Amino acid sequence: MSAQKDCEFLVKRARELVSDDPCAAKAWLITARTLYPADFNIQYEMYIIERNAERTASAGRLLYDMFINFPDQPIVWREISVITAALRSDSQEKHAQFLRGLFETLPGRVQCEMLLKATEQCFNTLEKAEMLLLLLKRFPESVVQHGINLGEKLLEAEATENVETPVNCFRKLFVCDVLPLVVNNLDMRLPASLMQKYMLKAAEFYIGYVTRGPSPDVQTQGSQEGGALKSPTVSRGSQRHVIDGLSEKSSVVAEPWERLLDILAVVGARCEWQGDKGQRSYTDMLQRVKELCRYLPGLEGDTRSRCCSQVVICAALVLFRSAFLYVSAVQPALFQGVNALSSGPWILVEDLSLVYNDVEMERGAVKHAHKKRKLADGREKTMSSDDEEGLGKGRGRHILVNKAEMPGWSETLESFRTARESWDLLHSHDGLETEFKKICASWKTDSWLWFRIFLTDTIIYQAQYRKALSSLHQMAAVQQPLPGQQSPSGQGSLEHHRALIQQAFCHYALGEYRMACEKLLDVVGALMPPSQEPTRTSEDQGKVKTRMRKGNDLRLLPCTTKAVLPFCLQLMLACFKLRAFTDLRDDLSLGHVVVLLQHDWPQGERLFLKTLEKICHQGSFQYENFFNYVTNIDMLEEFAYLRTIEGGRIQLELLPNQGMLIKNPGPALGAELNTLLLQGVQTMDRHHTVTRGITKGVKEDFRLAMERQVSRCGENLFSVLHRFCINEKIIIIQSLP
C-alpha cells in the first residue's frame, strides 16, 4: 500500500512541476520509473508529458513501451484509437501531423500488430474496415491474408444495411480502396468469376456515382458550365453529394471513368482476355470486342465463355458511358442542376423542313420510297421514315443540329452513335444478350431515367414508332418536373413536355393525326409566345429553298419556346396537309392549312398557291375563322383577288357569325383598300401588283372586313397562331380522323 502511495506522490509531484520546470518534472518521473518499473501510471504520465510537448521520438518510444508492457490497459487503446483516427483523416492540423509522425517512429512490426489489434477493438463495420484498410495500404504483404476477407465483409455489410443505392460508404471503400489493392497483388490467385463479379460491382458504383442527380445546394452549377459536352473527368454538381458515413472530401471520386478503365485493364489481364493487355480508350475497347464477336460462333467451352464475358462487360461499359455522355448533353438538368436548362434539354424529333413541299411530290416520295434507298453524296444508306420494320434494322439516319446552339454537337452525336453501336453488339448474339440482361436486372437499369431517355431516342432513331410510344409512356410515368423547373410564366416546364413532343411526332409518323395534335396542343397551351418574331434574312431564305434533304432526317431540337412553338406549328401543318388536299372537300382542314402556312412565310408559298388552286376548282370556300387568324398581307391580297371578276368570283364565306373584328374594329378605316394592301406589301418586301381591280364588284362587308384585317398585319404572328391553337383546340382535334 505504501508503494502505491509513493507512486501516486511521485506522479503528483511531477504534474505540479511540469508547467514551471519540465526538466525537474521529468527527473521525478525517471526516478519513479527506476524505483517502480512495473507501474503503468508512471509510464503513462511520462508519455503524456512528452506527447503534450510534441517530442515525437521520445513519445514514440514511451508508447511502444506501454504497448509491449501494458497491452491490456484501456487507456493505452484509447490513445491508440486517437492516433489511428489521425492516420485515417487527412487533417493538416499540427497535432494530427504530430500523431501521424509519432506512429511512424514505431517499428514496422509494432505498427502492423497495433493496427490489427486496433481493428479487433472496433465494433462499427465502417470504422473496422477503415482501420484494416490502413493496415493493407501500409503493409501490402497483408493483402493476401486480409484483402478478400475485407472486401467480402464490406459487400456483406452493404447487403445487411439494405442501402438503396450502390453509391454508399461500403461500396465506395470496396471499389476505390480495397479492390485496387486486391487485383494488383500478383501473389493472389483469384478465380475469373470472382474477378468479374468485383469488376461489375466497381462498374455499378462508378456509373451510379457519375449519374446521380443534382444536390439541392448546387442548383446554380449548370449555368456557369455552358452548353458544351462535359468530359467525364470534369467535376459536376452531382459529384458534390456527401455519401452517408463519409466526409465531403472522402465522398469525392476523381476521374471515375478513368478509374473504371484502369480496373478493367487489370481484370482483363488477370482473366486472360484476348487482345491488348494495356489500357486503351473506350472507343478502342469497343473496336476490339467487335473483332472478337466475329469469332464467337466458332468458339466452344471455356474459351467461348471467357470471350463472351469479355465482350459483354466491355461493350456494356462503353454503352453506359456513351449513353451518359449523350444524355448529359441533351438533358443536363438530370445531372447538373436546374440552371443547366440554359443549355438544354434537347429533343430528338423528325426534321420537318420538307413540310412545305408539294403534296403530290410528297405522296410520290412515300409511294416509291422503296425505290430510292441508295447511296448518295457519300452518305450512309437511308430509308423512308414510314418504313418501320426496315429502319428497325437499318442504319444511317442523319441527325441535324444547330451547331451554333450546341457547341459540343460533334461529341454528342458521336456518343449517341457509339452507344447505339454498343447496344446493337450486345444484342447480336443470344449468349451476349442473355448475359447483358442479367447485368441490367442486377443493376435495375429499368429505374434509370437517363438510360430510358437514351433507349427512347434510340428507338426513335430506328423509326420503331409504336415501340417508341410505349417507351415514352414508361418514361412519362416516372419523369416528374425537377424542383424549380418552371417557365417564367409559371405554366410548367418545357422539360416536362419533352416526352409529349416526341409522342406527338410518333403518332404523326403512324398516321394518328388526332392523337398527334392533342399532344401538340397540350404543349402549345403551356407555352408563352415569343414577344418578337425571328427575322429571316434573304440569305436564310435562299439557303432554305436550295437545301436538299432526305425525308427521314432527324433533328436535335432545343427545348425552348423559340424552337418548340415553330416545330409544333409545322407538325400540325403536316397533320392537316394530306387531309386538306384529298379528292374529298374539307374546307375546315384547308382553312387550318392556310392559317398555319403563315408561319415561316414565304416557305409555304407554293403550298398556299396549291390551296388557292383547290379553292378555285371548288368554286367556293367556307372558313369562318379566316379573319380571326389570317393576317398575312400576301394571303389577304390573294383571297381578295378571288372575289373579283378577274379572280373568278369565287364564293368565299369567311365572316364569322360573331367575329372579334366586328367588336374591335382596327384603325385607319378611312384609307382605301388598295392603298392599305400596297403599304402592307411594301412592308413585307413583296412586289406583286396589288390592286388588280380589287375594289370592283366586292361586297361592302367583305371590303370593310379586309380593310380592318390589313391593319392587323403588324401583329405578332406567334401570338396570333398561339391564340389559334388555344381558342380552336376542340375544333382542330375534331377535324382530324
Side-chain angles (χ1 to χ4, degrees):
M1 214 37 205
S2 61
Q4 177 84 16
K5 290 183 178 179
D6 288 344
C7 290
E8 291 177 358
F9 169 76
L10 293 170
V11 170
K12 181 180 179 182
R13 183 60 179 155
R15 286 176 182 167
E16 292 173 351
L17 294 171
V18 71
S19 57
D20 298 327
D21 192 351
C23 291
K26 190 173 181 180
W28 275 89
L29 289 173
I30 292 173
T31 302
R33 185 182 182 185
T34 304
L35 294 172
Y36 305 102
D39 188 272
F40 170 74
N41 290 328
I42 293 174
Q43 295 217 30
Y44 180 69
E45 194 64 31
M46 294 180 71
Y47 167 75
I48 291 298
I49 291 175
E50 298 302 306
R51 187 200 66 182
N52 291 344
E54 295 190 347
R55 287 189 279 267
T56 306
S58 55
R61 285 193 299 271
L62 290 167
L63 179 64
Y64 170 75
D65 289 341
M66 287 192 299
F67 178 74
I68 296 299
N69 299 319
F70 308 99
D72 298 326
Q73 285 288 342
I75 197 168
V76 173
W77 288 106
R78 284 201 298 271
E79 193 65 29
I80 291 175
S81 68
V82 172
I83 295 172
T84 54
L87 292 173
R88 296 199 308 273
S89 77
D90 50 11
S91 172
Q92 297 303 313
E93 292 182 359
K94 184 179 179 181
H95 187 62
Q97 291 180 353
F98 162 74
L99 292 176
R100 288 195 285 268
L102 186 154
F103 185 79
E104 295 296 341
T105 65
L106 300 175
R109 176 184 57 81
V110 175
Q111 289 183 3
C112 183
E113 187 178 352
M114 188 178 287
L115 290 174
L116 270 176
K117 289 190 176 182
T119 301
E120 295 171 0
Q121 300 286 327
C122 298
F123 296 99
N124 179 281
T125 303
L126 191 61
E127 185 181 351
K128 192 170 187 175
E130 290 178 337
M131 194 75 72
L132 197 52
L133 191 57
L134 271 178
L135 175 69
L136 300 186
K137 289 182 176 180
R138 286 179 168 271
F139 304 98
E141 64 274 10
S142 64
V143 173
V144 175
Q145 181 180 354
H146 302 287
I148 293 295
N149 181 58
L150 175 57
E152 291 296 332
K153 288 290 185 183
L154 286 168
L155 295 179
E156 182 182 333
E158 179 185 62
T160 304
E161 295 290 336
N162 293 320
V163 291
E164 298 179 353
T165 170
V167 185
N168 58 74
C169 56
F170 305 110
R171 185 77 70 91
K172 197 267 181 181
L173 281 180
F174 171 73
V175 170
C176 299
D177 298 300
V178 179
L179 186 57
L181 296 175
V182 170
V183 297
N184 284 294
N185 192 310
L186 300 181
D187 294 330
M188 302 185 70
R189 298 291 181 264
L190 302 176
S193 58
L194 185 63
M195 297 283 281
Q196 291 167 14
K197 169 192 169 183
Y198 288 168
M199 178 70 240
L200 292 176
K201 289 289 185 183
E204 184 185 17
F205 170 79
Y206 283 125
I207 292 170
Y209 177 84
V210 173
T211 59
R212 286 179 303 165
S215 57
D217 59 339
V218 291
Q219 298 279 316
T220 59
Q221 188 78 6
S223 62
Q224 299 175 359
E225 294 191 4
L229 180 68
K230 297 293 182 284
S231 163
T233 61
V234 174
S235 176
R236 294 177 173 274
S238 63
Q239 295 176 341
R240 292 178 56 184
H241 279 284
V242 177
I243 299 174
D244 288 341
L246 300 178
S247 66
E248 180 176 351
K249 188 168 184 178
S250 298
S251 299
V252 175
V253 179
E255 301 184 345
W257 291 115
E258 294 304 317
R259 286 190 177 205
L260 183 57
L261 195 60
D262 291 340
I263 291 289
L264 184 66
V266 177
V267 169
R270 298 290 299 269
C271 293
E272 299 181 349
W273 284 353
Q274 298 294 319
D276 187 1
K277 299 296 190 298
Q279 177 179 336
R280 306 178 99 187
S281 69
Y282 284 91
T283 304
D284 292 339
M285 187 163 63
L286 178 61
Q287 296 305 315
R288 184 165 73 247
V289 294
K290 282 174 63 179
E291 294 171 4
L292 284 177
C293 271
R294 294 187 301 171
Y295 304 103
L296 191 60
L299 301 178
E300 296 179 355
D302 292 342
T303 304
R304 178 183 175 86
S305 176
R306 185 166 57 249
C307 183
C308 184
S309 297
Q310 178 180 357
V311 171
V312 170
I313 292 176
C314 292
L317 297 188
V318 175
L319 165 65
F320 290 122
R321 176 181 179 271
S322 300
F324 162 73
L325 292 177
Y326 169 71
V327 177
S328 67
V330 300
Q331 201 150 351
L334 288 177
F335 312 107
Q336 293 177 284
V338 174
N339 285 338
L341 285 172
S342 61
S343 61
W346 296 73
I347 320 168
L348 186 66
V349 293
E350 284 220 16
D351 178 52
L352 296 179
S353 58
L354 301 182
V355 69
Y356 301 111
N357 273 11
D358 188 277
V359 181
E360 296 302 322
M361 291 172 55
E362 186 169 313
R363 284 185 178 140
V366 172
K367 184 176 180 181
H368 302 290
H370 65 284
K371 298 181 180 180
K372 298 185 178 182
R373 298 173 189 165
K374 58 183 180 179
L375 296 175
D377 300 327
R379 300 170 76 177
E380 296 178 66
K381 188 175 181 181
T382 59
M383 301 182 185
S384 64
S385 296
D386 63 332
D387 189 353
E388 181 166 336
E389 182 180 356
L391 271 173
K393 302 174 182 177
R395 301 292 178 268
R397 303 186 80 184
H398 292 273
I399 301 176
L400 309 172
V401 64
N402 187 319
K403 300 176 183 179
E405 294 179 343
M406 179 182 275
W409 65 273
S410 178
E411 293 88 346
T412 300
L413 297 185
E414 180 61 23
S415 296
F416 187 43
R417 185 198 65 78
T418 302
R420 294 194 318 268
E421 194 174 339
S422 305
W423 176 267
D424 292 340
L425 182 65
L426 289 165
H427 292 78
S428 60
H429 295 279
D430 291 340
L432 300 179
E433 185 173 357
T434 300
E435 292 302 315
F436 176 63
K437 285 182 177 179
K438 290 179 182 178
I439 294 176
C440 291
S442 174
W443 292 357
K444 300 178 182 178
T445 59
D446 285 345
S447 64
W448 295 358
L449 175 60
W450 67 272
F451 193 58
R452 171 57 56 185
I453 290 171
F454 159 74
L455 290 179
T456 302
D457 284 2
T458 297
I459 297 168
I460 287 172
Y461 178 86
Q462 296 170 344
Q464 298 181 17
Y465 295 116
R466 188 66 64 192
K467 188 177 177 182
L469 283 173
S470 175
S471 183
L472 283 163
H473 286 305
Q474 294 178 40
M475 187 167 68
V478 298
Q479 185 176 25
Q480 299 295 330
L482 297 175
Q485 286 190 17
Q486 299 294 318
S487 63
S489 64
Q491 293 179 323
S493 165
L494 284 174
E495 183 169 353
H496 182 59
H497 295 285
R498 185 180 186 274
L500 281 179
I501 296 169
Q502 289 188 323
Q503 287 177 38
F505 92 78
C506 285
H507 282 301
Y508 162 73
L510 293 169
E512 299 167 350
Y513 301 135
R514 174 177 287 198
M515 290 292 293
C517 276
E518 283 183 4
K519 305 294 183 185
L520 291 172
L521 292 172
D522 286 344
V523 173
V524 173
L527 303 178
M528 287 293 290
S531 57
Q532 292 184 346
E533 298 177 49
T535 57
R536 179 183 294 276
T537 64
S538 57
E539 180 181 357
D540 292 333
Q541 295 177 19
K543 286 182 180 179
V544 175
K545 289 180 179 179
T546 58
R547 184 186 296 130
M548 297 298 294
R549 286 181 183 157
K550 298 288 183 182
N552 63 331
D553 281 347
L554 296 169
R555 176 176 290 280
L556 271 175
L557 189 76
C559 196
T560 60
T561 300
K562 180 181 176 182
V564 167
L565 183 55
F567 176 82
C568 291
L569 296 173
Q570 288 181 331
L571 192 52
M572 287 174 62
L573 172 62
C575 290
F576 280 105
K577 189 171 68 169
L578 293 177
R579 181 171 178 80
F581 293 100
T582 59
D583 294 334
L584 299 176
R585 177 166 178 166
D586 189 346
D587 283 8
L588 189 57
S589 294
L590 206 60
H592 293 337
V593 167
V594 171
V595 172
L596 294 170
L597 281 174
Q598 295 178 102
H599 166 63
D600 214 14
W601 185 266
Q603 282 281 62
E605 186 174 20
R606 288 179 58 186
L607 197 56
F608 175 66
L609 296 177
K610 186 83 175 178
T611 304
L612 296 180
E613 289 179 13
K614 180 163 186 179
I615 292 174
C616 291
H617 180 73
Q618 294 177 174
S620 63
F621 176 63
Q622 179 181 4
Y623 188 67
E624 296 184 353
N625 271 322
F626 182 90
F627 287 112
N628 285 340
Y629 305 113
V630 179
T631 61
N632 182 285
I633 189 69
D634 297 326
M635 292 182 174
L636 294 176
E637 175 196 359
E638 294 296 340
F639 274 96
Y641 179 70
L642 292 179
R643 291 288 298 266
T644 65
I645 298 175
E646 294 84 349
R649 287 188 178 276
I650 304 300
Q651 183 66 33
L652 300 177
E653 299 181 25
L654 307 180
L655 292 169
N657 294 329
Q658 292 180 337
M660 65 176 183
L661 299 175
I662 305 301
K663 297 178 184 177
N664 302 300
L669 293 182
E672 290 295 325
L673 180 60
N674 57 346
T675 305
L676 286 169
L677 285 172
L678 180 59
Q679 292 172 347
V681 172
Q682 289 173 343
T683 303
M684 298 294 291
D685 195 24
R686 303 276 289 158
H687 303 289
H688 293 308
T689 302
V690 180
T691 54
R692 292 195 294 184
I694 200 168
T695 57
K696 300 176 182 178
V698 180
K699 291 184 178 180
E700 184 67 15
D701 55 351
F702 182 81
R703 187 183 72 84
L704 290 175
M706 192 64 76
E707 285 182 352
R708 297 185 182 107
Q709 198 67 3
V710 170
S711 68
R712 298 182 56 209
C713 289
E715 285 188 22
N716 183 338
L717 182 58
F718 275 138
S719 296
V720 173
L721 296 178
H722 183 265
R723 194 161 59 244
F724 166 71
C725 294
I726 301 298
N727 296 344
E728 312 303 328
K729 179 177 180 178
I730 296 177
I731 295 176
I732 291 171
I733 293 174
Q734 290 180 346
S735 59
L736 287 167

